[in-house]
Amino acid sequence: MNEKDLLEKGYKGIKGIPIIQDPGNSERNSATGLWRIKRPVFNGTQCSKCKLCFMFCPDSAISWSEEGLTFNMNTCKGCMICAEECPQKAISEVDER
Amino acid sequence: MKKILTGNKTAAVAAGLALKKGGVIPMYPITPQTEIVEEIAKMKADGELPNTVVKNMDSEFSVMSMAMGAAAVGARVFTATSSQGFLLMHELLYIASGQRHPIVMVNVSRGLSAPITLWSDHNDFLGAMQTGWIMMHAQDNQEVLDMTLMAFKIAEDPRVLLPVLVNMDGYILSFTDEIVDVPDQEIVNKFLGERKSEHTITPDRPTVVGTPVLPEYSYFRTQHHIAARNAMQVIKEVQDEFYGLFGRRYNLLADEFMTSDAEIILVTQGAMSTTAREVVMEMRDDGAKVGLLRLSLIRPWPEEEIRNVLCRAKAVGVVDKNIAPGKGGIMYDEIRGALYPVKDPRPIVSSIIAGLGGNPQTKKKIRAMFEKLAKTTETGEAIVEFNDVEAI
């Protein structure tokens, strides 16, 4: 572990002091979506636009727009609460591996 | 200008001088330090600190939390505490040094409960040697002022960026009036200037202070250690600059007195050292070859400088005004360790536990220490002496 490795990861700032001064650093280095082993798949035709999935997601990984749902795969950890809560069973599960 | 001040008032005056242009003082009272808090509150109420935020907090834990928050946004921070309060903020001491905040804190040494006491003892701050703070120990009120002023300069140096502790003995210094030469505000401003930093949070430079890490921990902790070692060079430069501006010379790394040809050297720290120095002068008049090493810098540990002072003596006595129950004096092994690389003949290093809970160490008692150490040169055996009680 040396300074070159840390600079590659984006730890800019004063040498040897544990600070981060470049915003957005966590997007590159803390993508918790890497922990996923199952992934949700959205079936647009079944969706009744109740937005329950959007409200229940513990990671706020679901966004709502006119076109339907989008899942932010950077932070979705594959807990499948959205699939569990959907009254229309419009979200299905797929193995990530 | 020379004034008659107690140790506590001196600490408050030093804080007022250093933070005159601006700063933050979070504080909480505890005997024997309460006078510092009272004096700072009085200075604030009298309008002497218009640019300084002075805040009474609800506990010492809050004091250190606020100190870290203020330091994180670039303020110069001072606070003071003692024994139990110092222990209450123990968790935060590591965080303050790990996050590299240049906080200056005066600790007024008091024995730890239980059993509960008010008098002076060094167990409180020596128990925190591992926290990553820079630690200095004052022997009289003038040093309390000078060390506190130097502490800001050392802490804020970009090669260091670590919090600094200045220790003084409770009651013996904190409530005792001594003559203190208080410098003019202009010279202090010239010495300290204003705090500048590149790693603090400002509106146009958002910063995460103290990030979570996993394998990177060892890198940051090692850099922390390197910065603490760098402090020794910075301390040498700061004490030279201090001499140039204020006229008082310090040798903080190894404050030795008459040790160059001494056969018996006593190692002390704190207020006891001034008494010990007088005993050395008296015994020298009687022809005894004695000397004194006063530990004024505890962290970083100036091992090489200490070794160079002690290596030629026949007997060394380490006076510990502290005790690690189950082991013995805390500084005893530090000194023995410093002397380990010396080739034979090595000095015989003995331990003297004296002054626990503030038991006064008179000239007579210190002279007795030298006499016991003289006997060790005849027997060749190191001793462990309890100066205030009869060991079983």
Side-chain angles (χ1 to χ4, degrees):
Chain A
M1 182 60 50
N2 59 35
E3 205 178 327
K4 193 164 134 304
D5 301 328
L6 292 170
L7 286 175
E8 269 166 30
K9 279 187 152 189
Y11 281 92
K12 293 201 202 82
I14 312 305
K15 174 181 172 148
I17 301 182
I19 58 166
I20 295 180
Q21 286 182 322
D22 57 334
N25 181 284
S26 65
E27 257 185 42
R28 291 190 299 279
N29 294 319
S30 315
T32 48
L34 294 170
W35 304 352
R36 230 178 8 246
I37 48 178
K38 293 182 281 200
R39 115 195 329 253
V41 173
F42 173 60
N43 182 346
T45 50
Q46 296 255 38
C47 176
S48 64
K49 298 187 174 59
C50 69
K51 297 183 200 151
L52 276 175
C53 57
F54 158 71
M55 285 192 281
F56 271 102
C57 174
D59 288 320
S60 296
I62 302 185
S63 316
W64 179 255
S65 72
E66 278 307 308
E67 287 83 40
L69 296 176
T70 41
F71 298 97
N72 177 359
M73 287 323 205
N74 237 357
T75 53
C76 167
K77 290 186 200 62
C79 69
M80 307 312 291
I81 286 177
C82 52
E84 176 80 22
E85 293 297 331
C86 177
Q88 310 301 326
K89 299 289 168 239
I91 300 179
S92 54
E93 179 183 307
V94 159
D95 213 21
E96 180 77 25
R97 283 171 289 193
Chain B
M1 185 170 113
K2 289 209 168 122
K3 294 191 179 165
I4 297 180
L5 295 172
T6 61
N8 282 335
K9 287 212 174 86
T10 311
V13 162
L17 285 169
L19 271 66
K20 182 76 172 194
K21 286 196 165 179
V24 175
I25 306 181
M27 52 195 199
Y28 193 83
I30 179 171
T31 304
Q33 158 268 42
T34 306
E35 201 184 356
I36 302 182
V37 170
E38 290 174 345
E39 194 62 26
I40 290 176
K42 182 172 184 299
M43 283 158 72
K44 180 71 184 170
D46 287 346
E48 290 169 30
L49 299 173
N51 303 320
T52 312
V53 173
V54 171
K55 205 124 178 78
N56 284 320
M57 303 301 288
D58 53 301
S59 78
E60 284 87 354
F61 190 95
S62 304
V63 162
M64 189 48 64
S65 302
M66 182 171 175
M68 289 198 291
V73 298
R76 186 172 275 171
V77 182
F78 172 84
T79 188
T81 189
S82 172
S83 63
Q84 309 306 124
F86 186 70
L87 262 57
L88 190 60
M89 50 164 94
H90 204 82
E91 171 192 359
L92 301 173
L93 296 175
Y94 288 90
I95 303 180
S97 69
Q99 289 184 354
R100 312 292 292 275
H101 297 306
I103 299 167
V104 171
M105 180 155 78
V106 165
N107 184 57
V108 183
S109 248
R110 163 183 156 184
L112 296 176
S113 48
I116 192 163
T117 184
L118 297 176
W119 289 359
S120 166
D121 184 297
H122 295 159
N123 258 101
D124 56 358
F125 87 103
L126 286 179
M129 289 199 292
Q130 274 47 281
T131 50
W133 282 54
I134 295 174
M135 295 187 166
M136 300 197 275
H137 203 158
Q139 66 178 349
D140 55 37
N141 291 351
Q142 185 66 61
E143 276 198 5
V144 170
L145 186 120
D146 294 343
M147 279 183 175
T148 305
L149 291 178
M150 284 194 273
F152 285 101
K153 188 102 190 181
I154 297 164
E156 292 167 13
D157 191 294
R159 293 166 283 178
V160 178
L161 290 173
L162 285 173
V164 180
L165 183 90
V166 176
N167 198 66
M168 75 164 115
D169 280 286
Y171 280 85
I172 305 172
L173 291 183
S174 73
F175 286 134
T176 306
D177 279 308
E178 289 183 10
I179 299 173
V180 178
D181 192 348
V182 179
D184 290 331
Q185 185 68 57
E186 293 81 48
I187 311 181
V188 176
N189 289 346
K190 198 167 160 203
F191 181 54
L192 291 179
E194 273 184 32
R195 183 185 165 194
K196 291 186 187 48
S197 64
E198 288 168 28
H199 70 295
T200 50
I201 308 170
T202 65
D204 37 57
R205 191 182 61 208
T207 307
V208 175
V209 174
T211 61
V213 291
L214 285 171
E216 298 87 352
Y217 186 91
S218 48
Y219 167 77
F220 286 113
R221 189 58 76 230
T222 312
Q223 290 293 318
H224 181 171
H225 169 68
I226 292 171
R229 297 301 291 177
N230 286 347
M232 287 211 275
Q233 175 58 31
V234 174
I235 288 170
K236 285 189 208 165
E237 292 170 18
V238 168
Q239 65 190 14
D240 283 342
E241 195 185 332
F242 191 86
Y243 173 59
L245 283 171
F246 298 86
R248 284 185 289 279
R249 192 181 277 293
Y250 283 100
N251 183 2
L252 292 174
L253 268 63
D255 188 8
E256 59 91 24
F257 182 68
M258 295 191 157
T259 58
S260 47
D261 65 337
E263 289 178 353
I264 303 172
I265 302 182
L266 204 64
V267 180
T268 62
Q269 47 177 320
M272 197 197 305
S273 319
T274 50
T275 317
R277 200 165 283 132
E278 287 207 18
V279 171
V280 165
M281 287 199 282
E282 283 173 14
M283 289 181 79
R284 278 273 177 179
D285 284 342
D286 295 337
K289 289 192 159 186
V290 292
L292 181 80
L293 170 64
R294 193 259 311 205
L295 300 174
S296 42
L297 185 71
I298 311 299
R299 284 286 183 270
W301 180 236
E303 184 181 317
E304 211 182 302
E305 285 80 0
I306 289 173
R307 181 163 53 238
N308 291 339
V309 169
L310 298 177
C311 58
R312 283 172 308 272
K314 287 198 185 141
V316 169
V318 183
V319 181
D320 271 304
K321 196 176 156 85
N322 60 72
I323 192 164
K327 183 163 176 290
I330 296 174
M331 300 315 285
Y332 181 44
D333 269 345
E334 303 261 332
I335 299 288
R336 280 205 294 190
L339 285 170
Y340 184 73
V342 173
K343 299 274 182 288
D344 276 324
R346 273 193 268 199
I348 302 166
V349 186
S350 300
S351 168
I352 302 168
I353 312 283
L356 293 178
N359 262 301
Q361 297 305 304
T362 55
K363 279 205 242 181
K364 197 164 134 194
K365 279 192 176 178
I366 295 179
R367 200 177 257 269
M369 291 180 203
F370 276 113
E371 277 152 24
K372 292 198 185 100
L373 290 172
K375 287 213 187 69
T376 66
T377 58
E378 291 157 29
T379 62
E381 297 281 316
I383 52 169
V384 176
E385 273 294 314
F386 290 83
N387 221 35
D388 307 310
V389 293
E390 283 190 28
I392 306 154

